[in-house]
Structures are given as structure tokens and as C-alpha cells.
Amino acid sequence: MRRVNFIIITLVIFLILSGCSTEIINPDKLKKEFYYIIVIGQSNAAGYAPIETAPNWLKGNSYQIDDYYVWNRTKNIFQSYQLGVNVGTEINNDNHFGFDIFFSKLFTEKYNEQLYCIKQTLDSTPISAKGSPATGRWTPSLQLIPENERSMIRELNIKLENADKFAENNDITLTPIAVLLHQGESDASETVRLKDYETNFKHFINYLRNSINDSIPIINGEIYYVNSNFKEVNSIFHSYSELDSNFKTVKMQNHQTNIGDNLHYDASAHEYMGNQMFEYYEILKK
């Protein structure tokens, strides 16, 4: 009996120390429709702001966001967002955060609704199939991706399909309400990629619209002003926004604060971007 009690106490301590994010089997039996955002892109979409710089409202709630649930790709379920435990990115227990937490906070507080999220983010992933080797690429032309490199589009589609199965199994509807995007640094870094970026970006956005929803709001943020190539990518975003009434770009000119590498945005910049993305969502939502 003493051994059993010891095992139980040890297990409880382990769970407390390791963190335990709530699993969602059926989010709310009284509801049938749930809204979700899709967060995609490179490292700034995943977020590089360290846990030490997390906002006080997040720290004071054990780094968890009430009513914000992210897709866990290994378990194929939604779990509550908790920094350092379940964040939905490539490293699920990552202790860094990005703009999505600020968007989710505004959404859940204003609408008193749960918000779900599917993330597909990975460092150093261009749209272009050209240039030096990359871990993965965002081009919708899957046949162009070099062998042994990952297709970000294919991986995103797998997550979306698995989330649909989750919804079907639980007799609910998952409705996408926005795509939050941050990508472009890897295309700006090589001339051969930058040359085709305007065309590649348009094809990329068109693919998202055709595969998700032809009028879904797509909101992105400017990349860091590293040099003239990076500024050119930002100008492509703004030019495109003039052609697409359901697309907006957050200007970051006066919010270029970073973690010390002149590339990755810090907590302050992510807060500004996430807040502005929500404001744009309010304008674009149907």
C-alpha cells in the first residue's frame, strides 16, 4: 500500500513539473461550430520571443491561454495553448512565442468564443524551389521541390485533413476564419529566389485561397528590414494587397525591435503585429 501511494505521489509531482496541457476530445457538447486560424510561414511565424519576455497576463496564468487550442500533430488532437508545453509548432514544447498569442487573446476576449489554431511553420523555408538547399519549401508546385526536402504545403494539408477527421469523429464543424502568414526572409536572402518572388508569392496565395476558402482573410506582416532585398519583399506584399481585397499587410517600419539578431522579432514587435492582425481581421471578416 505504501508503494502504491508512493507511485501515485511521484506521478502527480511529475505531471506538475512537466506541465499538462488540456486535451480536447469534444470541445463543447453544446456547440457544433468552432472557429480556427491557420498560422504559416518561417521562424517569425513560429515566434522566437523567449519565455522570459512573455507578457504578464500569460505568466500569471501558468503560461496558458484560456480558450485557445492548438493542433498537436503527433496526437492529432487540439490541446490548450501552454508555452513550454503545447504551442503547436515544429517543437511542440518550445518556450518561445509569436504573434498568434496576441491575436487569440483579442479574439477570445471580444467574442467570448474558443479559438482553434493549426500551425505549419519551419525555419528557413522559401517559396522558391531554386537556390541553395533548404529544409523545406512553400511552393505549391510539389514536383519542383528537390529530393529529400520537405513540402510545407503537403504537411499543412495533412494537418488540415486530420483536423477534418477530428471534427467528423466528434460531430462538429471546424470553420477557418483567417490565415496569419509570415514568410519571405529566405527568398530575400538569395537573388535567384528574390527574382521570382512576386510571381511565386501570388501563386502561393492563390493556392491557399483555392484549397481553403476563396475569400478567407489572409494577413501577413512585413519581414525585418535587413537590407534592400528584404525591403523589396515587403514592397511586393503591399503591391499585392492593392490587388486582393481580402489581403492585408502589417507595416512594421516603426516596430523593428528584435531579439538581438536583426532578423527575429521580439515580444514587443510580436504584440504589435498580432494586435494589428486582429484589427485587420475585424475589417476583412465577412
Side-chain angles (χ1 to χ4, degrees):
M1 185 66 178
R2 291 176 60 186
R3 179 175 175 79
V4 173
N5 288 339
F6 173 77
I7 293 174
I8 293 174
I9 292 171
T10 302
L11 177 60
V12 171
I13 292 173
F14 170 78
L15 290 173
I16 291 173
L17 292 177
S18 61
C20 184
S21 191
T22 307
E23 294 185 3
I24 303 303
I25 303 303
N26 192 326
D28 185 342
K29 293 182 179 180
L30 299 177
K31 291 190 60 177
K32 287 295 183 182
E33 183 179 23
F34 297 87
Y35 304 114
Y36 74 96
I37 56 174
I38 301 171
V39 176
I40 59 178
Q42 298 186 216
S43 50
N44 269 316
Y48 263 43
I51 192 170
E52 296 81 10
T53 63
N56 289 332
W57 56 263
L58 189 62
K59 292 179 180 177
N61 199 38
S62 301
Y63 297 97
Q64 188 166 324
I65 302 178
D66 296 333
D67 292 331
Y68 182 42
Y69 302 92
V70 294
W71 184 253
N72 184 318
R73 64 187 175 92
T74 58
K75 294 184 177 182
N76 283 331
I77 60 173
F78 286 100
Q79 289 183 297
S80 59
Y81 177 98
Q82 188 173 12
L83 188 56
V85 178
N86 185 67
V87 296
T89 56
E90 185 80 1
I91 303 173
N92 196 49
N93 64 345
D94 195 8
N95 59 1
H96 296 81
F97 62 93
F99 52 75
D100 65 293
I101 69 168
F102 300 101
F103 182 100
S104 68
K105 183 175 186 292
L106 292 175
F107 181 93
T108 55
E109 288 181 350
K110 176 170 182 176
Y111 293 104
N112 194 28
E113 292 269 6
Q114 295 174 341
L115 180 65
Y116 292 75
C117 175
I118 296 174
K119 296 183 183 181
Q120 180 62 35
T121 59
L122 187 65
D123 295 6
S124 305
T125 48
I127 298 178
S128 175
K130 299 178 181 179
S132 60
T135 305
R137 299 179 192 263
W138 280 101
T139 175
S141 302
L142 306 187
Q143 74 279 5
L144 298 179
I145 298 177
E147 189 177 357
N148 299 321
E149 293 187 2
R150 294 163 58 180
S151 165
M152 297 295 97
I153 289 291
R154 181 184 290 117
E155 293 184 12
L156 173 62
N157 286 338
I158 290 173
K159 290 178 181 177
L160 293 174
E161 290 169 5
N162 287 337
D164 283 341
K165 293 177 183 177
F166 168 89
E168 183 178 352
N169 291 338
N170 288 284
D171 193 26
I172 61 173
T173 298
L174 287 172
T175 302
I177 60 168
V179 175
L180 307 184
L181 166 67
H182 200 281
Q183 191 280 335
E185 295 93 339
S186 291
D187 291 279
S189 298
E190 297 188 18
T191 303
V192 68
R193 295 173 180 169
L194 179 61
K195 181 180 178 181
D196 301 326
Y197 190 71
E198 184 170 10
T199 298
N200 289 340
F201 184 74
K202 288 179 180 178
H203 288 165
F204 176 49
I205 298 299
N206 286 338
Y207 175 86
L208 293 175
R209 292 215 181 284
N210 291 333
S211 61
I212 300 171
N213 183 316
D214 60 4
S215 61
I216 191 170
I218 299 179
I219 307 163
N220 79 333
E222 289 186 333
I223 60 177
Y224 206 85
Y225 293 13
V226 175
N227 54 39
S228 59
N229 287 356
F230 283 64
K231 292 180 180 180
E232 183 176 343
V233 165
N234 288 330
S235 68
I236 290 172
F237 297 152
H238 292 295
S239 295
Y240 179 79
S241 67
E242 297 177 359
L243 305 174
D244 187 338
S245 60
N246 292 305
F247 180 91
K248 292 284 189 181
T249 296
V250 177
K251 295 181 180 179
M252 297 296 292
Q253 184 173 3
N254 297 319
H255 301 273
Q256 295 277 303
T257 51
N258 63 86
I259 61 172
D261 60 359
N262 292 320
L263 181 65
H264 293 103
Y265 288 121
D266 64 7
S268 177
H270 277 298
E271 180 174 9
Y272 176 79
M273 190 184 302
N275 291 346
Q276 290 298 117
M277 284 179 165
F278 181 75
E279 287 192 17
Y280 282 147
Y281 165 74
E282 290 289 275
I283 295 172
L284 298 178
K285 69 182 177 71
K286 302 301 182 183

